[in-house]
Amino acid sequence: MIASECAPVAKVGGLADVVIGLASDISQRENEVEIILPKYDCLRHDKISDLKEFYPDLRVPWLKGAIRCTVWSGMVHNCKSFFIEPHSSDNFFNRKMVYGCPDDTTRFAFFCKAAMEFLYKSGKRPDIIHCHDWPTGLVPVLLDEIYKPIGMDSSRVCFTIHNFRHQGLAGTNILFATGLNRPEYFLKPDKLSDTAYRNCINFMKSGIVYSSFITSVSPQYMWEAKNTDQGCGLSSLLNQFNGKIEGVLNGIDYTIWDPEKDLHIPIQFSPETIDKKSEIKNTLREHLHLRKDNKPILSFIGRLDEQKGIHLIRHALFYSLSHGAQFVLLGTSPDPKITRDFALLQMQFSDHSDCRIVLKFDEELSHLIYAGSDLFMVPSMYEPCGLTQMIALKYGTVPVVRSVGGLVNTVFDRDYSEKPKDERNGYTFQHTDEKAIESALYRAFDLWYNHPGEFRELMINGMHYDFSWKVSGEKYLEIYKKIIN
Ligand code: ADP
């Protein structure tokens, strides 16, 4: 695996969870898996064991010279990982952050080059190099154009796209820096040039053109990328490569998210003992100073970002309070305006006995909310896969989601799905307006109040789904075998 993120040592979003979750699953099936990451100054060193120098003097060709790097090795969970530390005044990975610098494309182009140079010089010849998102998009280009001709001809690349919105655009200086050179050869529509900005190279497109196989993080998101504006300019390219493209649903880590073993909740439970959830609901209410009353709790956990359907989250709050439900939100926002808006709401409801807004990142509290709520909403505008609805399902909390991306592959409407009744597990709605979410919430609250036995069945149906890495890991192994052959 070559990646810009890996949980828990360098986590920005779901990509980090996928890298460690998939790597762990594949290695448990008796494959040798190693992860290559930048050695960021903001790495969680406390989560790496046995960190030591592995390759002290790696010279990485760059521009007209070379940058000396130290490659460190260490264990992340049970996976052997390598961390590349360049020594140059560019300070590529000493920025106290993973992304967000003006020279991000240069930083990650260097990372691609250094990772390939490390594989080459250390004699590693992996059957599969699995890359993730635009920061590693140049890896398959470098492999084909530079490293295969000098001996690395047995490796194949699988490239996973987690989000089509961020593609990485750079000028031709990147070609000279990495030793690819020849802009006249690379700046072509069938090679690296961006569709809209033809004088720029597009890292994500490079990954798509040069990899042996491309996946995205759910079948529906891949379909949307190929057939709607979700492809963000790459739809027709994806359609050209139909034979080497597939959507594979992400898994979640059931060693962390399992109500039968979870020590962050006051009492553990299974589908057979689901009634214990009411005790956890009371603990949640005590913790958040909500009143104990015969009402369902609707919750939301996540980044407060336009992607997540901010206007619908806000509307659901008011709708819940006026329709006999309690409302809990746990979230943070990278956007100061959204943060301000929610801080105002938080103040407005600070004394309300049916509503609590918590604006921080709190993993422990998230476990209590997943377990103690009745309903969980994910009203996203787009959602490549989405983990929160899968976690909620495991904790017997019924999801109410917008039918988009990975949510389509994981949540099946109680009233309208074509699935057999015992496989329906939540509520869905299509449109992005307030009426749409109201109709789903109305049906959910109605079932909770008027048909509690049926609501209980819906909770149990959800708990029986298996969204572990077991299933997705199997799928990836099939893909690896296919491209090796
Ligand atoms: P994203 O688009 O942010 O990657 P996902 O649904 O794929 O969304 O994953 C979000 C993950 O982050 C989930 O595990 C969720 O529980 C966690 N999370 C998000 N916000 C918070 C928060 N404020 N506190 C605790 N956990 C959070």
Side-chain angles (χ1 to χ4, degrees):
M1 299 265 172
I2 303 182
S4 51
E5 296 181 41
C6 175
V9 294
K11 172 163 169 161
V12 177
L15 160 59
D17 297 307
V18 173
V19 170
I20 194 65
L22 181 59
S24 306
D25 181 83
I26 300 286
S27 63
Q28 273 159 25
R29 296 166 197 255
E30 307 201 342
N31 299 285
E32 200 180 330
V33 183
E34 294 174 339
I35 305 172
I36 304 182
L37 298 160
K39 191 167 186 297
Y40 302 109
D41 56 355
C42 54
L43 274 184
R44 289 282 306 265
H45 284 90
D46 56 318
K47 305 281 183 190
I48 309 170
S49 57
D50 206 17
L51 185 65
K52 52 180 183 262
E53 277 190 21
F54 178 82
Y55 199 114
D57 195 13
L58 178 75
R59 303 261 156 183
V60 179
W62 188 249
L63 290 166
K64 291 201 164 79
I67 293 181
R68 189 175 73 79
C69 297
T70 305
V71 183
W72 298 74
S73 70
M75 299 299 287
V76 177
H77 282 305
N78 290 324
C79 289
K80 180 140 196 194
S81 305
F82 297 99
F83 303 91
I84 297 180
E85 180 187 27
H87 304 286
S88 88
S89 54
D90 299 302
N91 277 319
F92 285 137
F93 306 128
N94 297 330
R95 310 287 182 88
K96 305 265 183 291
M97 59 173 93
V98 173
Y99 314 114
C101 307
D103 60 344
D104 274 358
T105 45
T106 311
R107 297 168 66 220
F108 289 105
F110 177 78
F111 173 57
C112 294
K113 179 74 184 178
M116 288 310 300
E117 195 67 16
F118 170 56
L119 288 180
Y120 178 66
K121 290 209 174 122
S122 61
K124 292 179 184 293
R125 298 292 180 267
D127 296 314
I128 297 293
I129 301 176
H130 195 148
C131 298
H132 299 266
D133 266 352
W134 75 264
T136 53
L138 291 186
V139 165
V141 186
L142 293 163
L143 177 68
D144 264 26
E145 301 284 354
I146 296 180
Y147 293 92
K148 271 190 185 168
I150 54 173
M152 286 190 67
D153 47 3
S154 60
S155 300
R156 301 285 174 270
V157 178
C158 177
F159 182 59
T160 295
I161 296 168
H162 300 252
N163 193 333
F164 281 95
R165 300 263 148 149
H166 308 288
Q167 300 185 1
L169 293 196
T172 46
N173 57 323
I174 291 296
L175 296 174
F176 295 107
T178 52
L180 287 166
N181 302 317
R182 295 185 292 156
E184 67 290 353
Y185 171 75
F186 286 111
L187 266 190
K188 297 233 176 84
D190 64 338
K191 290 265 183 323
L192 314 188
S193 81
D194 183 68
T195 319
Y197 302 94
R198 286 173 184 260
N199 286 329
C200 289
I201 61 169
N202 178 320
F203 285 37
M204 183 169 279
K205 177 178 173 184
S206 310
I208 295 171
V209 171
Y210 274 83
S211 296
S212 300
F213 208 89
I214 296 104
T215 69
S216 188
V217 291
S218 69
Q220 176 69 16
Y221 187 54
M222 186 57 108
W223 184 90
E224 289 169 6
K226 281 161 69 175
N227 298 292
T228 74
D229 60 355
Q230 288 303 328
C232 304
L234 296 175
S235 299
S236 67
L237 182 77
L238 292 170
N239 280 296
Q240 281 170 37
F241 291 118
N242 265 329
K244 62 167 195 176
I245 278 189
E246 194 169 333
V248 181
L249 194 69
N250 282 344
I252 55 171
D253 186 346
Y254 285 152
T255 61
I256 299 170
W257 302 109
D258 180 356
E260 293 186 46
K261 301 198 185 104
D262 192 335
L263 298 178
H264 294 305
I265 54 178
I267 183 163
Q268 289 67 43
F269 64 99
S270 66
E272 289 69 42
T273 57
I274 197 165
D275 295 328
K276 290 185 183 171
K277 256 175 86 83
S278 59
E279 277 181 57
I280 306 173
K281 185 170 175 178
N282 278 336
T283 308
L284 175 64
R285 282 170 162 161
E286 279 161 20
H287 189 84
L288 297 178
H289 308 291
L290 293 172
R291 82 172 125 172
K292 290 184 186 162
D293 202 351
N294 182 38
K295 288 182 173 188
I297 299 181
L298 170 69
S299 55
F300 172 87
I301 299 173
R303 277 184 302 120
L304 295 167
D305 181 285
E306 292 302 341
Q307 177 201 336
K308 300 290 175 186
I310 294 291
H311 65 293
L312 296 181
I313 295 169
R314 203 186 149 87
H315 186 69
L317 184 166
F318 290 100
Y319 186 83
S320 300
L321 297 184
S322 59
H323 288 76
Q326 294 182 314
F327 183 88
V328 170
L329 179 146
L330 172 64
T332 54
S333 179
D335 179 331
K337 181 178 176 313
I338 296 178
T339 305
R340 243 189 344 265
D341 289 351
F342 276 85
L344 282 176
L345 273 181
Q346 185 184 41
M347 248 161 33
Q348 184 181 341
F349 289 100
S350 60
D351 292 330
H352 202 292
S353 50
D354 285 331
C355 176
R356 200 59 65 234
I357 294 175
V358 184
L359 299 179
K360 62 176 176 179
F361 194 96
D362 188 337
E363 172 105 29
E364 201 162 345
L365 176 58
S366 78
H367 286 246
L368 189 60
I369 295 175
Y370 284 120
S373 306
D374 300 282
L375 292 155
F376 188 91
M377 68 166 163
V378 194
S380 303
M381 297 298 99
Y382 76 96
E383 193 60 76
C385 176
L387 300 177
T388 57
Q389 81 280 10
M390 297 199 265
I391 302 171
L393 284 165
K394 185 72 179 166
Y395 283 75
T397 299
V398 174
V400 180
V401 308
R402 180 159 176 259
S403 288
V404 68
L407 298 164
V408 172
N409 301 121
T410 48
V411 181
F412 308 101
D413 192 275
R414 182 202 174 259
D415 301 316
Y416 301 121
S417 166
E418 286 166 3
K419 290 234 174 226
K421 220 160 179 215
D422 61 352
E423 291 177 25
R424 301 180 191 179
N425 59 10
Y427 290 93
T428 63
F429 58 95
Q430 302 281 339
H431 296 287
T432 56
D433 59 327
E434 295 172 352
K435 285 274 170 278
I437 193 168
E438 278 183 15
S439 76
L441 287 175
Y442 177 85
R443 291 186 290 130
F445 295 161
D446 178 59
L447 196 75
W448 190 91
Y449 271 111
N450 299 320
H451 307 278
E454 290 183 39
F455 191 88
R456 195 171 175 280
E457 275 171 30
L458 200 56
M459 295 158 77
I460 293 173
N461 290 352
M463 290 186 83
H464 282 140
Y465 270 83
D466 182 358
F467 292 119
S468 66
W469 274 107
K470 226 171 47 215
V471 182
S472 317
E474 189 70 51
K475 189 84 223 162
Y476 272 107
L477 273 181
E478 275 172 30
I479 291 170
Y480 296 162
K481 283 184 191 143
K482 187 161 140 183
I483 57 179
I484 288 171
N485 292 331

